Amino acid sequence: MARPIWTGTLSFGLLNIPVSLMAGERRTDISLRMLDARDQTPIRYERVNAATGEEVAWKDIVKAFEYDKGSYVVLEPEDIRSAAPESHDAIEVESFIEASQIDPRYFEKPYVLVPAKKAEKGYVLLREALTATSRIGIARVVIRTRESLCAVIPHGQALLLLMMRFPQELVDIEEYRIPEGKPADYRITAKEQQISEQLIEAMSGDWNPEDYHDEFRQRLHDVIAKRVKDHKVVEHADEEPAVGDHAATNVVDFMSLLQKSIERKQRTPAQDKASGDAPAKASSAGRKKASSKSAGKPAKKDADEDKPVAAKAKKATTRKTAAKKAPAKAPARSAKDKSAETAKKSPAKRRNVA
């Protein structure tokens, strides 16, 4: 069984209810260790002196506050305990308010309050009173040495303790550049507003936590299981993100995007199947129609198609016959051969003249 984080009393007015503070969340992160890549040895951290580099034992370490660059004031354990509240074993409810009045940014971490033995009556009494009045209790609690703001909230049959942030821990939204003014200042038309509301209605549903899972953790778990099984490097091909139609421009057609979103949400599986089958049916019908037309005049079409083929065959035969009958051309004589022939004819001509 899980051990309590804190044990004390839940008090409001003169009523004290012995309770235990139990964990209300479970961390499911996959813990990864750092190893030396050379020999796969785990890496450990050491507390070393920044000046000498020597390791410092826990008994020689003190806590200090750096009030200026390089200047520290040392705090003793008694100093820290003196700043802590006197009450360490009670959750003291200071007021009851409506939950809707609290900014959700104040809520931080959930715990479960479990009543001690023979303390069920006071526990159930407070739970039912908070439920009937639609109120939550604002209290303070000290866990270890830190005082925290918290809220006691009924949740089903249990009482939850939600840790809260102090106002000083929240960042003022006015520090950021947030669009202000009326929708008309940003050229938002009434039609766009209406389509947006229709889209929200089309995407509305009941909250079901089982619909949401940590997909990254599951994929990483699968990769680790494969590595353990194969002892090989698991290669994962990076997928290029699809580029949208409006990725290259800053002008977005909100009307068309909203309308397409609504149509996608309102379309049923039967309609999707019908729309997918329509093009196939149309193309099939077109092919049938073309084949029926061609079946009506088969002879003429075949005769027309045979004519150019026959003509081409006849021309090809004529070219081959002409090629066979044509005598081969004599090879071209070179200039040297021509000069030699002239030299042979020249003496004979001179003798005839003599």
Side-chain angles (χ1 to χ4, degrees), residues 30 75 91 125 173 181 186 205 233 236 264 272 292-293 297 307 315 320 324 337 340:
I30 297 177
L75 297 177
I91 302 173
L125 177 61
I173 296 180
Y186 301 93
V233 176
H236 177 70
R264 183 182 301 176
D272 290 338
S292 62
K293 287 184 177 180
K297 300 179 180 179
K307 286 180 180 179
K315 290 180 179 179
K320 290 182 179 179
K324 290 180 180 179
D337 295 337

CSV table of all heavy atoms in Angstrom, one decimal, residues 30 75 91 125 173 181 186 205 233 236 264 272 292-293 297 307 315 320 324 337 340:
chain,number,residue,atom,x,y,z
A,30,ILE,N,9.4,7.9,-18.8
A,30,ILE,CA,10.4,6.9,-18.9
A,30,ILE,C,11.7,7.5,-18.5
A,30,ILE,O,12.2,8.4,-19.1
A,30,ILE,CB,10.5,6.3,-20.4
A,30,ILE,CG1,9.1,5.6,-20.7
A,30,ILE,CG2,11.6,5.3,-20.5
A,30,ILE,CD1,9.1,5.1,-22.1
A,75,LEU,N,23.0,30.6,5.6
A,75,LEU,CA,21.8,30.4,6.5
A,75,LEU,C,21.9,29.1,7.2
A,75,LEU,O,22.2,28.0,6.6
A,75,LEU,CB,20.5,30.4,5.6
A,75,LEU,CG,20.1,31.7,4.9
A,75,LEU,CD1,18.9,31.5,4.1
A,75,LEU,CD2,19.9,32.8,5.9
A,91,ILE,N,-4.1,21.1,8.3
A,91,ILE,CA,-4.6,21.9,7.1
A,91,ILE,C,-5.7,22.8,7.6
A,91,ILE,O,-6.8,22.3,7.9
A,91,ILE,CB,-5.1,20.9,6.1
A,91,ILE,CG1,-4.0,19.9,5.6
A,91,ILE,CG2,-5.6,21.7,4.8
A,91,ILE,CD1,-4.5,18.8,4.7
A,125,LEU,N,-19.2,14.5,6.6
A,125,LEU,CA,-19.9,15.8,6.9
A,125,LEU,C,-19.4,16.9,6.1
A,125,LEU,O,-20.1,17.7,5.4
A,125,LEU,CB,-19.9,16.1,8.4
A,125,LEU,CG,-20.6,17.3,8.8
A,125,LEU,CD1,-22.0,17.3,8.5
A,125,LEU,CD2,-20.3,17.6,10.3
A,173,ILE,N,-0.6,38.6,-17.4
A,173,ILE,CA,-0.9,38.5,-18.9
A,173,ILE,C,-0.6,39.8,-19.6
A,173,ILE,O,-0.3,39.8,-20.8
A,173,ILE,CB,-2.3,38.0,-19.1
A,173,ILE,CG1,-2.5,36.6,-18.5
A,173,ILE,CG2,-2.7,37.9,-20.6
A,173,ILE,CD1,-3.9,36.0,-18.6
A,181,GLY,N,-9.8,44.7,-28.1
A,181,GLY,CA,-10.7,45.3,-28.9
A,181,GLY,C,-11.9,44.4,-29.4
A,181,GLY,O,-12.0,43.3,-29.0
A,186,TYR,N,-10.7,43.6,-36.2
A,186,TYR,CA,-9.9,42.6,-36.9
A,186,TYR,C,-10.6,42.1,-38.1
A,186,TYR,O,-10.2,41.0,-38.6
A,186,TYR,CB,-9.5,41.5,-36.0
A,186,TYR,CG,-8.8,42.0,-34.7
A,186,TYR,CD1,-9.4,42.3,-33.6
A,186,TYR,CD2,-7.4,42.2,-34.8
A,186,TYR,CE1,-8.8,42.8,-32.4
A,186,TYR,CE2,-6.7,42.7,-33.6
A,186,TYR,CZ,-7.4,42.9,-32.5
A,186,TYR,OH,-6.8,43.4,-31.4
A,205,GLY,N,-18.5,17.5,-27.4
A,205,GLY,CA,-18.8,16.1,-26.9
A,205,GLY,C,-18.6,16.1,-25.4
A,205,GLY,O,-18.3,17.1,-24.7
A,233,VAL,N,20.4,-1.1,-33.7
A,233,VAL,CA,20.0,0.3,-33.8
A,233,VAL,C,18.7,0.3,-34.6
A,233,VAL,O,18.5,-0.2,-35.6
A,233,VAL,CB,21.1,1.1,-34.6
A,233,VAL,CG1,20.6,2.6,-34.7
A,233,VAL,CG2,22.4,1.1,-33.8
A,236,HIS,N,14.6,5.2,-37.7
A,236,HIS,CA,13.3,5.8,-37.8
A,236,HIS,C,13.3,6.8,-38.9
A,236,HIS,O,14.1,7.8,-38.8
A,236,HIS,CB,12.8,6.4,-36.5
A,236,HIS,CG,11.5,7.1,-36.6
A,236,HIS,ND1,10.3,6.4,-36.8
A,236,HIS,CD2,11.1,8.4,-36.6
A,236,HIS,CE1,9.3,7.2,-36.8
A,236,HIS,NE2,9.8,8.4,-36.7
A,264,ARG,N,-16.6,18.2,-42.6
A,264,ARG,CA,-15.9,17.0,-42.3
A,264,ARG,C,-16.5,16.3,-41.0
A,264,ARG,O,-16.5,15.1,-40.9
A,264,ARG,CB,-14.4,17.3,-42.1
A,264,ARG,CG,-13.6,16.1,-41.7
A,264,ARG,CD,-12.1,16.5,-41.5
A,264,ARG,NE,-11.6,17.1,-42.7
A,264,ARG,CZ,-10.4,17.6,-42.7
A,264,ARG,NH1,-9.6,17.6,-41.7
A,264,ARG,NH2,-9.9,18.2,-43.8
A,272,ASP,N,-19.2,9.2,-46.8
A,272,ASP,CA,-17.8,9.2,-47.2
A,272,ASP,C,-17.6,8.1,-48.2
A,272,ASP,O,-16.9,8.2,-49.2
A,272,ASP,CB,-16.8,9.0,-46.0
A,272,ASP,CG,-16.8,10.2,-45.1
A,272,ASP,OD1,-17.1,11.3,-45.6
A,272,ASP,OD2,-16.5,10.0,-43.9
A,292,SER,N,-20.4,0.7,-76.1
A,292,SER,CA,-21.7,0.4,-76.7
A,292,SER,C,-21.7,1.2,-78.1
A,292,SER,O,-22.3,0.7,-79.1
A,292,SER,CB,-22.9,0.8,-75.8
A,292,SER,OG,-22.8,2.2,-75.6
A,293,LYS,N,-21.2,2.4,-78.1
A,293,LYS,CA,-21.2,3.1,-79.4
A,293,LYS,C,-20.3,2.5,-80.4
A,293,LYS,O,-20.6,2.4,-81.6
A,293,LYS,CB,-20.7,4.6,-79.1
A,293,LYS,CG,-21.8,5.4,-78.4
A,293,LYS,CD,-21.3,6.8,-78.3
A,293,LYS,CE,-22.3,7.7,-77.6
A,293,LYS,NZ,-21.9,9.1,-77.5
A,297,LYS,N,-20.8,0.1,-85.0
A,297,LYS,CA,-20.1,0.3,-86.3
A,297,LYS,C,-18.8,-0.4,-86.2
A,297,LYS,O,-17.8,0.3,-86.3
A,297,LYS,CB,-20.0,1.8,-86.6
A,297,LYS,CG,-21.3,2.5,-86.7
A,297,LYS,CD,-21.1,3.9,-87.1
A,297,LYS,CE,-22.5,4.7,-87.2
A,297,LYS,NZ,-22.3,6.1,-87.5
A,307,LYS,N,-6.8,0.7,-93.4
A,307,LYS,CA,-6.3,1.5,-94.5
A,307,LYS,C,-4.9,2.0,-94.3
A,307,LYS,O,-4.0,1.8,-95.1
A,307,LYS,CB,-7.2,2.6,-94.9
A,307,LYS,CG,-8.5,2.0,-95.6
A,307,LYS,CD,-9.4,3.2,-96.0
A,307,LYS,CE,-10.7,2.6,-96.7
A,307,LYS,NZ,-11.6,3.7,-97.1
A,315,LYS,N,4.1,1.0,-98.9
A,315,LYS,CA,5.2,2.0,-99.1
A,315,LYS,C,6.5,1.3,-98.6
A,315,LYS,O,7.6,1.5,-99.3
A,315,LYS,CB,5.0,3.2,-98.3
A,315,LYS,CG,3.8,4.1,-98.9
A,315,LYS,CD,3.7,5.3,-98.1
A,315,LYS,CE,2.6,6.2,-98.7
A,315,LYS,NZ,2.3,7.4,-97.9
A,320,LYS,N,11.9,-1.1,-100.1
A,320,LYS,CA,12.8,-2.2,-100.0
A,320,LYS,C,13.2,-2.7,-101.5
A,320,LYS,O,14.3,-3.0,-101.8
A,320,LYS,CB,12.2,-3.4,-99.3
A,320,LYS,CG,12.1,-3.1,-97.8
A,320,LYS,CD,11.5,-4.3,-97.1
A,320,LYS,CE,11.4,-4.0,-95.6
A,320,LYS,NZ,10.8,-5.1,-94.8
A,324,LYS,N,16.9,-2.7,-103.5
A,324,LYS,CA,17.5,-3.8,-104.0
A,324,LYS,C,18.0,-3.6,-105.5
A,324,LYS,O,19.0,-4.0,-105.9
A,324,LYS,CB,16.6,-5.0,-104.0
A,324,LYS,CG,16.4,-5.6,-102.6
A,324,LYS,CD,15.4,-6.8,-102.6
A,324,LYS,CE,15.2,-7.3,-101.2
A,324,LYS,NZ,14.3,-8.5,-101.2
A,337,ASP,N,44.7,9.7,-106.6
A,337,ASP,CA,44.3,8.8,-107.7
A,337,ASP,C,44.0,9.6,-109.0
A,337,ASP,O,44.4,9.2,-110.1
A,337,ASP,CB,43.1,8.0,-107.3
A,337,ASP,CG,43.4,7.0,-106.2
A,337,ASP,OD1,44.6,6.7,-106.0
A,337,ASP,OD2,42.5,6.6,-105.5
A,340,ALA,N,47.3,10.8,-110.6
A,340,ALA,CA,48.0,9.6,-111.2
A,340,ALA,C,47.4,9.3,-112.6
A,340,ALA,O,48.1,9.0,-113.6
A,340,ALA,CB,48.0,8.4,-110.3
